[in-house]
Amino acid sequence: MSQPIRQVNRPEFAIEYDGKMYASKRQLSREIGISTGCIHEMMVNNDLDFETAVDILLETKDRIGIPREKMISGLPVCIIDGRTYRTVQEVACEFHLSTNAIASYKNKNGYTGMLETLCAMQEETKECYVVDGEAKTCNELLKMGYTSSSYRQVPKKRIPRYPQLAGKDFVNNCVDAMKIYREVKEERMEQAPPFCMQQQK
């Protein structure tokens, strides 16, 4: 019969960070409030050494305004009206948008943050036709019996393309965590070469 594989715990080594000694990476993780899993993911996804990964996460956390004593397992996407949104999906659900709509608008217009994307989407308008005080599209008018020439005589006006965003405040009491993270990462990555290049030296 096969026996279950016993996992051997790896020994913990003392580590120095920012001029202070820690008994282990776990102790450092607990003191700065960033999980070891979050740090490891940053290292793997961006080919960084441990210290640079911690630098990026910690500076981002500080700039966002998350207290150091609060443990996080990942960075939020944004904070809107004091509420923290951990994923784009959460933002999309809250404001009745699709994640694809947010992503395509953001990428098409070259935005790096969530809040600036939502602010721009909030300003977007589209042209419609007005019949009895109601906004109608060209196709709706054709279905109502208008011809391809007669519907052109119907009065027009511009309405919000994303009416579900009307009246929302994406400025006050808001933090664009996604944008802050990317700014911090770019700054730090310019200062520190990829970990694989460090190992080759």
Side-chain angles (χ1 to χ4, degrees):
M1 296 179 62
S2 60
Q3 296 294 323
I5 299 174
R6 296 182 61 188
Q7 293 186 353
V8 179
N9 292 330
R10 295 182 178 180
E12 294 278 3
F13 297 99
I15 183 173
E16 181 179 358
Y17 177 76
D18 197 24
K20 181 178 177 180
M21 291 300 300
Y22 297 86
S24 65
K25 291 180 179 179
R26 291 185 183 278
Q27 183 191 11
L28 170 60
S29 167
R30 287 192 295 269
E31 290 204 17
I32 63 176
I34 302 174
S35 71
T36 54
C38 183
I39 297 171
H40 179 73
E41 184 177 354
M42 171 65 75
M43 294 171 63
V44 172
N45 291 345
N46 298 280
D47 191 23
L48 299 172
D49 62 272
F50 180 84
E51 184 174 356
T52 304
V54 172
D55 284 344
I56 293 172
L57 291 169
L58 187 56
E59 183 174 348
T60 302
K61 184 181 178 184
D62 287 343
R63 287 196 194 180
I64 292 172
I66 302 175
R68 289 207 176 187
E69 60 271 17
K70 182 177 180 179
M71 176 62 71
I72 62 170
S73 58
L75 294 171
V77 169
C78 62
I79 299 173
I80 300 175
D81 195 22
R83 177 182 170 183
T84 300
Y85 294 84
R86 297 184 65 254
T87 65
V88 176
Q89 180 67 44
E90 289 182 8
V91 177
C93 288
E94 177 69 19
F95 298 104
H96 308 290
L97 297 165
S98 70
T99 54
N100 285 339
I102 295 174
S104 60
Y105 191 91
K106 174 174 167 290
N107 295 332
K108 178 182 177 181
N109 294 281
Y111 296 120
T112 58
M114 176 59 70
L115 295 184
E116 62 181 358
T117 301
L118 292 175
C119 283
M121 293 177 76
Q122 193 177 44
E123 297 298 319
E124 280 282 325
T125 61
K126 63 180 180 180
E127 190 175 73
C128 71
Y129 298 87
V130 182
V131 178
D132 296 329
E134 295 185 4
K136 302 291 183 180
T137 65
C138 170
N139 289 335
E140 287 174 329
L141 291 182
L142 293 175
K143 289 178 181 179
M144 290 170 63
Y146 286 83
T147 65
S148 57
S149 58
S150 65
Y151 83 80
R152 300 179 188 277
Q153 308 304 315
V154 178
K156 301 176 184 178
K157 75 172 183 178
R158 300 198 70 82
I159 61 173
R161 185 175 295 276
Y162 304 98
Q164 60 270 51
L165 299 180
K168 304 297 182 182
D169 188 349
F170 298 119
V171 178
N172 298 301
N173 200 24
C174 298
V175 179
D176 207 330
M178 179 187 294
K179 186 174 183 179
I180 291 173
Y181 162 69
R182 291 185 176 176
E183 289 173 351
V184 172
K185 187 171 75 169
E186 287 179 6
E187 292 170 4
R188 293 287 182 169
M189 294 282 277
E190 289 178 358
Q191 299 170 10
F195 187 46
C196 60
M197 292 179 63
Q198 296 181 35
Q199 290 179 314
Q200 293 172 3
K201 290 183 179 181

